[in-house]
Amino acid sequence: MKADSVTFNPIGIVKSKITDTKIMPLSGVEAKIEVFPEFLEALERIDESSHLWILSWLHKAPRNLMKVVPKKVNPLSDEFGVFAIRCPARPNPIALSLVKLERVEGNILYVTGLDVINETPVLDIKPYFKNDIVLSHREPDLNRKNTMSQESEGE
């Protein structure tokens, strides 16, 4: 059974010098988030937060890939399902980025560490809280070399 469709209405847009995902640094870049005027009231006291979670719609990402190789981290890596790693390609290309809020000027948020390209629609903004941190976690090893490639090379 398929779930009902969902519609998002962006609350803003990213303004960045980066226009191509291939040149986006893994650590993100300085950028501006232009919050649309009708949402200005929702920014009340946002400057009290040092960091924010930005949810955005990766409008140029492929939506039909289910497995990928994390090429930016390790081009020789095994494939991963898109839900197992952070890659833009996914059925619903929603990005979650943790950014540092540098300053606010009206409806413009100046941030660092944003890893989405220019003109990316912003879906939501949430404050980062100390409870968001996980001190003991488990994650996939993206630096592990592809065992299939190693076996082929040895033959």
Side-chain angles (χ1 to χ4, degrees):
M1 174 194 269
K2 231 179 176 173
D4 293 334
S5 66
V6 177
T7 303
F8 292 105
N9 294 310
I11 56 101
I13 195 156
V14 171
K15 299 296 181 182
S16 167
K17 293 179 182 176
I18 306 291
T19 58
D20 184 350
T21 58
K22 291 182 181 109
I23 61 171
M24 175 62 69
L26 290 174
S27 60
V29 296
E30 290 181 7
K32 293 188 263 186
I33 298 173
E34 179 184 330
V35 176
F36 298 144
E38 61 267 34
F39 301 108
L40 183 60
E41 187 177 1
L43 293 176
E44 179 90 20
R45 297 178 64 175
I46 198 163
D47 59 339
E48 293 178 16
S49 293
S50 65
H51 291 77
L52 304 170
W53 291 110
I54 307 299
L55 290 112
S56 55
W57 184 258
L58 303 176
H59 60 297
K60 294 192 175 183
R63 298 178 72 182
N64 60 345
L65 300 176
M66 297 301 123
K67 287 184 173 183
V68 294
V69 171
K71 292 178 184 171
K72 279 189 174 183
V73 177
N74 179 6
L76 301 175
S77 174
D78 292 328
E79 280 190 327
F80 287 83
V82 297
F83 297 149
I85 64 171
R86 294 182 177 191
C87 69
R90 47 203 333 104
N92 290 305
I94 297 171
L96 175 65
S97 304
L98 179 60
V99 301
K100 182 176 182 196
L101 179 61
E102 300 294 343
R103 69 183 189 281
V104 180
E105 291 180 6
N107 66 323
I108 308 293
L109 306 180
Y110 292 81
V111 300
T112 53
L114 189 59
D115 57 352
V116 299
I117 62 172
N118 189 50
E119 300 296 318
T120 298
V122 175
L123 302 177
D124 202 3
I125 301 168
K126 298 181 181 293
Y128 177 88
F129 291 123
K130 65 182 174 185
N131 289 341
D132 290 342
I133 192 167
V134 176
L135 297 176
S136 229
H137 70 284
R138 188 177 69 231
E139 63 185 49
D141 182 1
L142 301 180
N143 291 308
R144 187 180 68 213
K145 293 199 187 234
N146 185 329
T147 54
M148 296 296 270
S149 294
Q150 290 173 342
E151 289 170 7
S152 300
E153 291 172 7
E155 292 177 0

